Amino acid sequence: MRALSPPEPAAAAPMVPAAYRVARARQDTSDTWTLELSACDGDAFAFAPGQFTMLAAGGAGEVPISISGDPARTDMLVHTVRAVGPATRAICTARPGDVLSVRGPFGRPWPVEEIAGADVVVATGGIGLAPLRPAILHLLTHAERYGRLTLLYGARTPDQLLYPDALEAWAERGMDVHVTVDSAGPEWLGHVGVVTRLVRRAALAPARAVAMLCGPEIMMRFTVAALSESGISHDRIHASMERNMQCGIGHCGHCQLGPTLVCRDGPVYPWSALAPWLAIREL
Ligand SMILES: Cc1cc2nc3c(=O)[nH]c(=O)nc-3n(C[C@H](O)[C@H](O)[C@H](O)COP(=O)(O)OP(=O)(O)OC[C@H]3O[C@@H](n4cnc5c(N)ncnc54)[C@H](O)[C@@H]3O)c2cc1C
């Protein structure tokens, strides 16, 4: 299991926001937008797949948002945001030329270096694909370092699927891409059902497979159960957790999970660490 020691400081002045200008804004679904941001002072930052920033538009509040761009590109900071409340609605209404405030990057990344040599299965639902997109791009760019790469992705309906063009491109680059939706009309020719069912179809080799999960907590619990049934042990499953966050740097304590702080010790954890805490009701 990975040790939960404190990470390196994210930045010299992690509470001081930097100004980023919206270069492009693309609507992905009815409530989700992808924003490409460029640093107003010209310096973007390097990040590791799975890290997040504290992002704000105007005075509507600062919220944690995962970086969803290619980690090989530091000229542009990419975020995919679902409008669920005041802060995310303000971010989603930003248009090219608008300036947002950004702090980060923060958090522990997906263990993409540590799992070299493994078959990697990425299992995700809804907006959960955004925090995993940098990891997928890293895996595909360095495909020779990994075994079989599999994506299991579920959304409520076909029009809620994120990045449909990228899903096709990743399949063309050799990823085994399985997509499912909870419900669809007759025009949908793909799978209907929950992501858990895709685990059974994917025929994973448990001794070689490592899983990375992000999505609603209930989806992750059921996916872990299905992966465990396939023989994959909890220390080979990694999940990104969401908790209410304010400072992003382990000072305020809002995002406590068990003995850890999600902003500092997560958001990515091995399931072997999470399982005992998630067994406690309302932790
Ligand atoms: C590490 C991390 C990475 C994240 N990455 C992304 C991302 O890439 N894209 C994205 O769209 N969102 C992401 N989120 C979730 C995002 O931070 C919340 O949606 C946001 O804080 C909501 O703020 P709000 O003011 O718009 O809405 P609020 O008024 O605060 O909340 C609206 C609704 O969303 C629920 N909610 C709020 N915050 C969370 C949360 N953290 N987890 C679960 N439910 C919540 C509330 O209970 C309420 O029902 C991430 C969260 C974390 C912790």
Side-chain angles (χ1 to χ4, degrees), residues 134-170:
I136 292 170
L137 293 171
H138 178 94
L139 295 172
L140 286 169
T141 301
H142 303 285
E144 74 288 351
R145 296 188 199 159
Y146 303 94
R148 195 171 137 212
L149 303 179
T150 305
L151 172 63
L152 312 178
Y153 177 43
R156 271 175 285 145
T157 53
D159 61 355
Q160 292 293 316
L161 287 167
L162 281 186
Y163 320 136
D165 295 346
L167 294 173
E168 277 182 31
W170 298 340

Side-chain angles (χ1 to χ4, degrees), residues 18-243:
Y20 275 68
R21 196 174 297 283
V22 179
R24 265 183 291 276
R26 183 191 71 224
Q27 185 162 19
D28 294 303
T29 71
S30 56
D31 59 4
T32 302
W33 289 76
T34 293
L35 303 179
E36 292 184 10
L37 310 175
S38 58
C40 291
D41 70 0
D43 294 333
F45 50 73
F47 70 96
Q51 288 196 295
F52 64 93
T53 72
M54 296 300 295
L55 186 64
E62 203 187 30
V63 285
I65 300 292
S66 300
I67 303 170
S68 62
D70 187 341
R73 285 191 60 183
T74 50
D75 55 324
M76 207 55 89
L77 176 63
V78 183
H79 283 300
T80 298
V81 185
R82 185 150 76 96
V84 295
T88 46
R89 268 200 295 276
I91 294 166
C92 287
T93 50
R95 292 294 170 265
D98 290 349
V99 173
L100 305 188
S101 91
V102 176
R103 292 192 294 119
F106 300 126
R108 283 178 179 280
W110 300 105
V112 288
E113 305 300 340
E114 295 91 320
I115 63 174
D119 290 351
V120 187
V121 56
V122 173
T124 174
I127 186 81
L129 183 57
L132 278 160
R133 184 169 174 265
I136 292 170
L137 293 171
H138 178 94
L139 295 172
L140 286 169
T141 301
H142 303 285
E144 74 288 351
R145 296 188 199 159
Y146 303 94
R148 195 171 137 212
L149 303 179
T150 305
L151 172 63
L152 312 178
Y153 177 43
R156 271 175 285 145
T157 53
D159 61 355
Q160 292 293 316
L161 287 167
L162 281 186
Y163 320 136
D165 295 346
L167 294 173
E168 277 182 31
W170 298 340
E172 278 163 21
R173 290 174 70 185
M175 191 163 211
D176 196 8
V177 176
H178 301 261
V179 176
T180 188
V181 295
D182 294 344
S183 63
E187 71 290 349
W188 173 252
L189 302 176
H191 298 293
V192 177
V194 289
V195 173
T196 325
R197 285 205 206 151
L198 296 180
V199 174
R200 295 185 188 112
R201 296 177 62 96
L204 306 168
R208 288 201 308 270
V210 167
M212 301 197 288
L213 315 185
C214 186
E217 220 160 285
I218 187 75
M219 169 255 159
M220 293 202 286
R221 286 174 188 261
F222 279 106
T223 305
V224 168
L227 290 166
S228 300
E229 259 175 45
S230 307
I232 300 176
S233 57
H234 282 184
D235 61 342
R236 297 177 74 84
I237 301 173
H238 303 267
S240 185
M241 297 302 292
E242 285 198 10
R243 287 294 181 272

Side-chain angles (χ1 to χ4, degrees), residues 263-275:
C263 68
R264 185 193 63 188
D265 304 310
V268 176
Y269 294 86
W271 198 264
S272 47
L274 290 172

